[in-house]
Amino acid sequence: MPDMSASASLAMTHLVTLAEVDEDKVTPGVLGFIVFAVMALAVWGLMKSMNRHMGKVDFEETPQDDAGGSGKGDTKASGRVEPQQG
């Protein structure tokens, strides 16, 4: 049966080189990924909710009477609204 200590030490050598951390290199790491994933899920949920709420909105406008019976004041050509007296 072959001796496994040589292959085990070779495997450990490769793992140690992968585990070495360069102190000058900054990476976001696992925490950065988790924060990004949570933010992405939150944006996805908000977009889904907004889409659902926008589907409930009725964009049909009611036509306004130009006969002056609107009860909100008289509008002039400038777009300004004069308050009603009374």
Side-chain angles (χ1 to χ4, degrees):
M1 195 163 203
D3 188 14
M4 297 300 276
S5 63
S7 61
S9 66
L10 183 63
M12 287 302 293
T13 305
H14 287 292
L15 286 177
V16 169
T17 58
L18 291 176
E20 288 181 11
V21 177
D22 185 13
E23 296 296 327
D24 297 330
K25 186 176 181 182
V26 178
T27 61
V30 177
L31 181 63
F33 175 75
I34 291 171
V35 169
F36 181 78
V38 167
M39 288 175 61
L41 285 173
V43 168
W44 177 77
L46 286 171
M47 292 290 287
K48 190 171 176 94
S49 175
M50 183 187 68
N51 202 11
R52 193 177 324 126
H53 280 84
M54 291 298 283
K56 294 179 183 178
V57 174
D58 183 21
F59 287 108
E60 295 293 324
E61 293 185 17
T62 58
Q64 292 183 350
D65 253 352
D66 288 336
S70 66
K72 294 188 178 184
D74 296 328
T75 58
K76 296 185 178 182
S78 66
R80 298 175 66 184
V81 177
E82 297 291 328
Q84 285 186 339
Q85 295 191 5

